[in-house]
């Protein structure tokens, strides 16, 4: 049996047939299924298939990489088509949004003026200067003639305008901060000079600075604003909705360095400045009241004081003066920043006798001629009541009881009424509730219900003790008699000024009929009789004055002295109350407050142009 294999002759025949056409001796064609030694190629059987390469060979890796590159190119191409074509608008908007910034344009607060338009509070235009330190290096960079450029040049130009040294200015401008305040509250002229230099990265924001031209005059009424312009007290706080206005804004596109893109989108919403608030206060009268009450407190050794000038017919408060007070331009940490006239509470003392007598007259239980035996002291249901000074037994009419300010006589008058009735009248006079003057920190005072009047309270409430009031409450209550028996809610604000200069009222004050016209007229006569125009320290030359003194001890052992009255007595309009708090010893209202009342009333009558009526003061029968 011959061995398998290839003989030399067979190899020569096979070799000589390479490259020739088909036929005997030619090489096997692709697809013939024959190969060397009769083996078939790997892979699937069948005609026309290429032999499969081994996995991991260079050919396979090459094909895989090519395929992956084709997939990536197709993905990127699709994304490019989406971004530049189908989603171009959205992407553009996102880009604009990313480089857009907004800055606030501050509104100026409205003015606060007195009743005659005199400015008491105003906002002046100021600017905050800021810098983007990254951009300052570009200053004069393209100026071929500039010897000094960038931060150094900018510092040399800015320093004299800001009042700084060149070294300090250069230090402030150097760095990589995108935003830094250069200076705050600079005047418009300084801002204009700085901006005119056109230093890259330096800009400004409009702000305002609150000033009070009259200084401490009316400071306790006006209040003040904080360093950021926030209202913190007084009218500034209560009427902020009108005064504050609405801030505007500017929106713009900025580059990578923070610079404004000149061709970018810019939108400006103007600020709307606040409205002017017009007070009922008279600036000159307020100033005079502050001077007078300060002198009274200092002279008598008190701790504080109040003076109120009130129009009983309209409810307008012409002056609401406090001592001590503060300058709203620079309220100090040690200053009293409240308002004594509406916050401090005290027992009214003998001025409270007016309400007891008015209630009894209105109820018809007494007349001005009613007669009383009045000893220095008397016991009522076991409770000792005495007058302020010793005296022999007196025979006084109701008019005489008021003129002599007798506690014992007043209790006898009050006993013609039950406690609930007296309590109801006190409430009708506005005691025990806020006046509605709309200033922060106002107290309602303290007036307990009649059922809580235990022991001595039943009697002491008749002469102004066992309850507490504020100065403004008392002046408005006494003003009821000067206005035909109608109490008018006091107000400090006339309204807001419209663009055409007119004043829009914010509402009319509430009016309450407390006693009849007849009772009110009788009370005016009694008060006129009580204030002797020949001997009283409250007298005003050429005018008939009606009024009442008051003195009461406070819980801390000090005393409050007061005088409340009006003139001319036959045609009253202005009601004035002067109050001195914290007296170390008993000093009557006739000595501590009446002289100040006289000075203030005289000035107020002249200030308001109220002429004497020429009617003589009335004198009633005081004894029987």
């Amino acid at each position: 049996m011959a061995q398998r294999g290839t003989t030399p002759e067979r190899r020569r025949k096979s070799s000589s047939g390479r490259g020739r056409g088909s036929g005997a001796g030619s090489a096997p064609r692709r697809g013939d299924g024959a190969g060397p030694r009769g083996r078939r190629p790997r892979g699937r059987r069948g005609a026309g298939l290429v032999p499969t390469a081994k996995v991991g060979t260079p050919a396979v890796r090459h094909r895989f990489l090519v395929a992956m590159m084709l997939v990536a190119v197709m993905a990127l191409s699709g994304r490019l088509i989406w971004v530049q074509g189908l989603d171009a608008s959205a992407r553009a908007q996102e880009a604009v949004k990313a480089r857009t910034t907004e800055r606030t344009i501050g509104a100026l607060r409205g003015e606060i003026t007195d009743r005659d338009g005199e400015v008491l509070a105003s906002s002046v235009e100021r600017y905050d200067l800021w810098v983007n330190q990254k951009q300052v290096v570009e200053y004069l960079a393209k100026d071929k003639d500039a010897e000094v450029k960038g931060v150094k040049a900018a510092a040399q130009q800015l320093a004299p305008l800001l009042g700084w040294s060149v070294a300090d200015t250069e230090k402030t401008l150097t760095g990589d901060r995108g935003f830094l305040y250069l200076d705050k509250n600079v005047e418009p002229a300084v801002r204009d000079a700085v901006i005119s230099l056109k230093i890259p990265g330096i800009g400004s924001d409009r702000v305002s600075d609150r000033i009070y031209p009259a200084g401490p005059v009316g400071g306790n009424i006006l209040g003040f604003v904080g360093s950021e312009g926030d209202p913190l007290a007084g009218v500034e706080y209560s009427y902020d909705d009108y005064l504050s206005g609405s801030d505007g804004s500017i929106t713009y596109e900025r580059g990578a360095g923070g610079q404004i893109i000149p061709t970018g989108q810019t939108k400006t919403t103007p600020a709307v400045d606040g409205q002017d608030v017009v007070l009922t206060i008279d600036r000159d009268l307020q100033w005079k009241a502050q001077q007078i009450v300060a002198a009274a407190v200092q002279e008598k050794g008190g701790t504080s004081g109040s003076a109120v000038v009130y129009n009983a017919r309209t409810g307008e408060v012409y002056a609401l003066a406090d001592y001590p007070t503060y300058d709203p331009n620079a309220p100090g940490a040690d200053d009293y920043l409240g308002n004594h006239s509406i916050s401090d509470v005290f027992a009214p003392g003998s001025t409270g006798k007016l309400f007891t007598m008015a209630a009894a007259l209105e109820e018809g239980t007494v007349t001005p001629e009613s007669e009383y035996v009045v000893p220095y002291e008397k016991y009522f249901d076991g409770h000792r009541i005495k007058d302020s000074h010793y005296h022999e037994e007196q025979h006084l009419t109701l008019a005489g009881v008021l003129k002599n300010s007798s506690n014992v006589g007043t209790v006898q008058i009050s006993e013609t009424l039950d406690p609930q009735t007296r309590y109801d009248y006190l409430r009708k006079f506005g005691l025990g509730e806020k006046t509605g003057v709309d200033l922060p920190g106002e107290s309602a005072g303290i007036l307990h219900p009649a059922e809580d009047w235990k022991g001595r309270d039943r009697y002491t409430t008749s002469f102004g003790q066992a309850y507490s009031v504020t100065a403004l409450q008392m002046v408005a209550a006494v003003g009821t008699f000067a206005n035909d028996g109608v109490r008018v809610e006091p107000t400090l604000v006339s309204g807001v000024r419209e663009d055409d200069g007119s004043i829009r009222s914010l509402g009319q004050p509430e009016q309450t009929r407390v006693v009849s016209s007849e009772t009110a007229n009788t009370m005016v006569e009694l008060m006129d009789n009580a204030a002797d125009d020949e001997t009283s320290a409250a007298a005003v030359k050429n005018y008939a004055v009606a009024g009442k003194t008051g003195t009461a001890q406070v819980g801390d052992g000090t005393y409050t002295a007061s005088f409340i009255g009006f003139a001319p007595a036959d045609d009253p309009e202005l009601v004035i109350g002067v109050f001195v708090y914290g007296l170390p010893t008993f000093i009557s209202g006739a000595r501590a407050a009446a002289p100040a009342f006289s000075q203030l009333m005289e000035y107020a009558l002249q200030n308001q142009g109220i002429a004497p009526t020429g009617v003589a003061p009335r004198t009633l029968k005081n004894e029987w």
Side-chain angles (χ1 to χ4, degrees):
M1 180 175 180
Q3 291 181 344
R4 297 179 64 181
T6 305
T7 63
E9 183 180 358
R10 185 183 298 271
R11 286 196 300 268
R12 283 195 299 269
K13 288 181 179 181
S14 175
S15 175
S16 62
R18 289 177 183 175
R20 296 179 182 179
S22 60
S26 65
R29 289 177 300 176
R30 184 174 298 176
D32 285 346
R37 300 181 183 177
R39 290 179 299 174
R40 296 181 179 275
R42 294 180 182 178
R44 290 182 300 171
R45 297 175 181 265
L49 296 180
V50 179
T52 303
K54 293 182 179 180
V55 176
T57 62
V60 172
R61 289 197 299 269
H62 175 73
R63 292 169 187 164
F64 178 76
L65 290 174
V66 169
M68 292 301 295
M69 290 175 64
L70 288 173
V71 171
V73 169
M74 292 178 66
L76 291 173
S77 298
R79 183 62 177 166
L80 186 61
I81 292 172
W82 173 260
V83 170
Q84 293 187 342
L86 301 177
D87 197 35
S89 176
R91 292 298 170 182
Q93 290 179 4
E94 289 182 10
V96 170
K97 183 177 180 181
R99 62 175 179 264
T100 297
T101 189
E102 181 180 74
R103 300 190 66 81
T104 299
I105 301 174
L108 295 179
R109 288 181 73 79
E111 293 182 338
I112 302 176
T113 72
D114 81 340
R115 60 186 303 104
D116 297 319
E118 297 292 338
V119 177
L120 299 175
S122 178
S123 289
V124 292
E125 188 175 31
R126 294 291 184 264
Y127 288 88
D128 288 345
L129 299 175
W130 48 266
V131 61
N132 181 335
Q133 294 174 327
K134 301 175 184 179
Q135 294 178 246
V136 182
V137 293
E138 302 170 9
Y139 185 50
L140 301 179
K142 297 181 181 180
D143 189 338
K144 298 179 181 180
D145 298 327
E147 296 181 2
V148 182
K149 302 182 179 182
V151 173
K152 289 185 177 297
Q156 292 175 2
Q157 296 290 327
L158 277 177
L161 298 179
L162 300 178
W164 298 353
S165 69
V166 174
D168 288 342
T169 307
E170 184 175 345
K171 183 178 179 181
T172 302
L173 297 178
T174 302
D176 58 0
R177 296 180 62 176
F179 182 88
L180 176 70
Y181 279 116
L182 274 178
D183 205 355
K184 290 189 173 185
N185 288 326
V186 302
E187 295 185 358
V190 175
R191 177 263 181 190
D192 293 344
V194 169
I195 296 301
S196 68
L197 296 175
K198 297 182 179 180
I199 299 174
I202 289 183
S204 65
D205 292 329
R206 189 183 81 157
V207 294
S208 62
D209 189 22
R210 197 65 164 167
I211 62 172
Y212 302 86
V217 177
N220 59 306
I221 302 169
L222 301 171
F224 57 95
V225 299
S227 59
E228 299 299 322
D230 300 322
L232 299 177
V235 171
E236 294 276 26
Y237 180 86
S238 296
Y239 291 85
D240 183 56
D241 288 346
Y242 298 99
L243 292 166
S244 60
S246 302
D247 289 342
S249 64
I250 178 170
T251 304
Y252 59 89
E253 294 181 53
R254 61 181 179 181
Q259 74 280 10
I260 296 177
I261 300 175
T263 58
Q265 297 180 11
T266 301
K267 179 182 179 182
T268 301
T269 302
V272 178
D273 293 339
Q275 294 179 280
D276 296 344
V277 172
V278 182
L279 303 182
T280 61
I281 296 297
D282 181 284
R283 184 192 62 178
D284 295 340
L285 189 49
Q286 175 74 23
W287 171 80
K288 189 66 173 181
Q290 290 183 204
Q291 299 300 309
I292 290 174
V293 72
V297 172
Q298 294 168 3
E299 180 184 348
K300 300 303 179 183
T303 58
S304 56
S306 299
V308 181
V309 182
Y310 165 81
N311 187 313
R313 299 175 183 175
T314 65
E316 295 172 296
V317 179
Y318 292 163
L320 191 71
D322 279 352
Y323 174 82
T325 187
Y326 60 92
D327 185 345
N329 288 300
D334 297 330
D335 291 339
Y336 173 74
L337 303 179
N339 197 318
H340 298 289
S341 301
I342 63 170
S343 299
D344 291 6
V345 296
F346 55 92
S350 292
T351 52
K353 295 170 181 174
L354 297 172
F355 310 132
T356 298
M357 295 186 179
L361 287 167
E362 183 71 8
E363 293 297 314
T365 61
V366 299
T367 69
E369 295 79 24
S370 295
E371 299 174 350
Y372 304 94
V373 176
V374 182
Y376 163 64
E377 65 178 12
K378 184 178 178 65
Y379 284 84
F380 295 87
D381 195 24
H383 297 285
R384 177 175 178 258
I385 302 297
K386 65 183 184 63
D387 287 343
S388 60
H389 297 87
Y390 176 79
H391 60 78
E392 297 294 335
E393 185 177 273
Q394 298 173 314
H395 292 73
L396 302 176
T397 63
L398 182 144
V401 169
L402 185 64
K403 185 176 181 65
N404 286 271
S405 197
S406 170
N407 296 337
V408 174
T410 303
V411 172
Q412 294 181 60
I413 295 169
S414 73
E415 284 297 278
T416 65
L417 303 170
D418 62 81
Q420 184 62 47
T421 298
R422 290 199 293 112
Y423 170 83
D424 292 341
Y425 272 98
L426 290 175
R427 289 303 301 264
K428 289 175 69 176
F429 277 108
L431 307 185
E433 62 184 27
K434 295 181 180 180
T435 65
V437 76
D438 203 16
L439 283 182
E442 182 180 13
S443 172
I446 302 172
L447 178 61
H448 298 297
E451 58 265 28
D452 294 335
W453 293 358
K454 307 298 182 183
R456 284 173 52 85
D457 290 353
R458 168 173 178 150
Y459 309 108
T460 58
T461 49
S462 70
F463 52 84
Q465 295 184 15
Y467 64 92
S468 298
V469 297
T470 67
L472 184 58
Q473 271 183 334
M474 283 300 293
V475 172
V478 174
T480 301
F481 306 128
N483 190 44
D484 198 43
V486 177
R487 179 175 59 86
V488 183
E489 183 181 56
T491 180
L492 282 167
V493 175
S494 293
V496 296
R497 196 180 302 280
E498 301 285 23
D499 293 338
D500 61 3
S502 63
I503 299 176
R504 175 169 57 88
S505 174
L506 299 181
Q508 297 302 312
E510 182 179 342
Q511 301 190 23
T512 303
R513 167 66 67 178
V514 181
V515 294
S516 66
S517 297
E518 182 181 359
T519 297
N521 291 333
T522 300
M523 289 302 302
V524 171
E525 291 178 355
L526 291 169
M527 293 173 67
D528 188 0
N529 177 73
D532 193 323
D533 293 309
E534 297 296 328
T535 61
S536 173
V540 178
K541 187 177 180 180
N542 298 324
Y543 291 85
V545 172
K548 183 69 186 77
T549 59
T551 310
Q553 189 171 19
V554 185
D556 62 2
T558 63
Y559 293 83
T560 296
S562 62
F563 188 95
I564 306 174
F566 38 82
D570 60 295
D571 187 21
E573 182 176 349
L574 297 184
V575 183
I576 291 179
V578 175
F579 307 82
V580 179
Y581 313 122
L583 294 168
T585 59
F586 179 91
I587 305 177
S588 69
R591 291 173 51 208
F597 167 89
S598 175
Q599 297 174 52
L600 185 54
M601 178 59 83
E602 181 177 12
Y603 183 89
L605 290 168
Q606 296 174 359
N607 173 271
Q608 294 300 309
I610 300 175
T613 61
V615 177
R618 283 159 286 194
T619 302
L620 303 178
K621 182 181 178 181
N622 297 311
E623 298 178 346
W624 57 276

